[in-house]
Amino acid sequence: MKYLNNHIPVLSIFILLLSSLASAQTLSISADTTRGCGKLTVKFSYKPQSSSDNSWEWNFGNGQTSSEQNPQKVIFDSDGIYNVKLILNKKDTIESKGLIVVHPAAIALFTFADTSSKTSFSRKFTFTKAAADTNSYTYVWDFGDNAAKDYTEQPVHAYSAPGLYPVTLKISNSFGCKDSSVQTVGIFETFDVPNVFTPNNDGNNDYFQVVSDHNEPLSIEIYDKYGTLVFKETAPTISWDGRTDSGVDLNSGIYFYVLKTAGSSASSKQCGFFYLYR
């Protein structure tokens, strides 16, 4: 047998080093999950759990501590990197640096604005994020009308007809955090309806006229102040001369109208009052 400095057997030193290394390797902290987005709930344990163990002092780096042997519900509700420490039997300290990582949550908020022009129903959609959010994102927009999906941050989408459409945005940030949201977007015909007209045959403002900007037929019903239907029509353009269907001139006064599209998607409706003055 070889000796070190003629006193300590080399084999004994080797066995001692192996024993120390094995002891250091077996004292380790375990977590059922270590990565998350926005908020993370973690179960902790350490190995091995010797029968001689009698105290456990955990510090999770998030302001929480525990004296349980295996803490089952530790909540990390702020993004950051957390070091976890365990003092075992009031003497052995085990620390795992950067064990828990919580990434900023992805939040799929968006707004939309009307960008319609004549003969079009279009909306501009914009993904919104916090000013301090510097993450990069991928986007998937579904506009709810069976059209092709869009993958840009601020798409403009043209609808073919009025209606209510469930618009879905799915996002994923650079950490792989995902989110989605749905908003119902209403696409409605807008009508330019006069609030007064003067059917006195002077060639000026003699007709109550409404034109559809989107080539949809219009249906109108007009009622007097008593709720009596005095006129109704369905046509691409409404042009009324102030007479009943039988050709009788109506008196001056306030009248109520119900106007809506009458095409394949009659979902736009507008009601209001106007003044007939002779």
Side-chain angles (χ1 to χ4, degrees):
M1 181 178 294
K2 294 184 178 180
Y3 289 85
L4 183 64
N5 295 331
N6 297 322
H7 295 288
I8 304 174
V10 172
L11 181 59
S12 297
I13 293 177
F14 182 67
I15 292 173
L16 181 62
L17 288 173
L18 284 179
S19 178
S20 299
L21 181 60
S23 176
Q25 289 177 336
T26 55
L27 294 175
S28 62
I29 295 172
S30 297
D32 67 336
T33 183
T34 60
R35 298 292 185 272
C37 298
K39 183 177 181 179
L40 192 63
T41 301
V42 185
K43 296 179 181 179
F44 287 95
S45 62
Y46 84 95
K47 298 178 181 179
Q49 297 170 1
S50 170
S51 59
S52 63
D53 295 340
N54 53 43
S55 71
W56 307 269
E57 299 174 34
W58 292 87
N59 188 320
F60 304 107
N62 62 346
Q64 288 182 257
T65 59
S66 177
S67 59
E68 296 179 348
Q69 182 174 342
N70 296 307
Q72 295 297 293
K73 189 177 181 180
V74 181
I75 299 174
F76 298 84
D77 56 6
S78 298
D79 55 277
I81 300 174
Y82 299 89
N83 302 329
V84 178
K85 182 185 295 186
L86 170 62
I87 300 176
L88 181 63
N89 302 324
K90 299 188 181 297
K91 61 178 181 177
D92 297 321
T93 298
I94 311 166
E95 184 173 15
S96 184
K97 294 185 177 181
L99 176 63
I100 304 299
V101 179
V102 182
H103 298 298
I107 303 175
L109 297 177
F110 66 92
T111 59
F112 55 91
D114 190 347
T115 59
S116 298
S117 58
K118 190 173 181 64
T119 70
S120 75
F121 296 107
S122 64
R123 297 292 184 271
K124 180 179 181 180
F125 297 89
T126 303
F127 167 62
T128 58
K129 63 180 181 180
D133 187 353
T134 59
N135 291 309
S136 59
Y137 288 86
T138 59
Y139 315 91
V140 181
W141 296 89
D142 184 331
F143 301 109
D145 60 349
N146 297 318
K149 293 179 173 58
D150 193 284
Y151 304 93
T152 59
E153 183 177 355
Q154 293 183 324
V156 174
H157 181 69
Y159 289 91
S160 60
L164 296 175
Y165 298 93
V167 177
T168 302
L169 170 62
K170 296 180 179 179
I171 63 171
S172 177
N173 67 20
S174 53
F175 298 110
C177 301
K178 300 178 181 180
D179 191 35
S180 65
S181 65
V182 181
Q183 293 189 55
T184 299
V185 176
I187 304 297
F188 302 107
E189 188 95 46
T190 57
F191 309 106
D192 185 12
V193 181
N195 57 15
V196 62
F197 83 113
T198 57
N200 55 11
N201 297 316
D202 66 352
N204 182 30
N205 197 28
D206 285 331
Y207 293 91
F208 180 88
Q209 292 184 323
V210 184
V211 179
S212 171
D213 282 343
H214 302 286
N215 299 322
E216 288 275 353
L218 301 178
S219 173
I220 193 168
E221 295 176 351
I222 297 177
Y223 298 85
D224 64 17
K225 63 181 179 180
Y226 303 107
T228 301
L229 178 66
V230 296
F231 178 78
K232 66 178 180 179
E233 184 180 34
T234 298
T237 300
I238 302 297
S239 183
W240 182 49
D241 61 3
R243 294 186 175 96
T244 65
D245 290 332
S246 60
V248 177
D249 287 341
L250 289 169
N251 295 325
S252 297
I254 295 176
Y255 292 81
F256 178 76
Y257 71 88
V258 177
L259 180 66
K260 60 186 178 181
T261 54
S264 58
S265 56
S267 58
S268 294
K269 183 177 180 180
Q270 183 173 318
C271 302
F273 293 92
F274 65 92
Y275 189 77
L276 186 158
Y277 180 75
R278 292 188 184 279

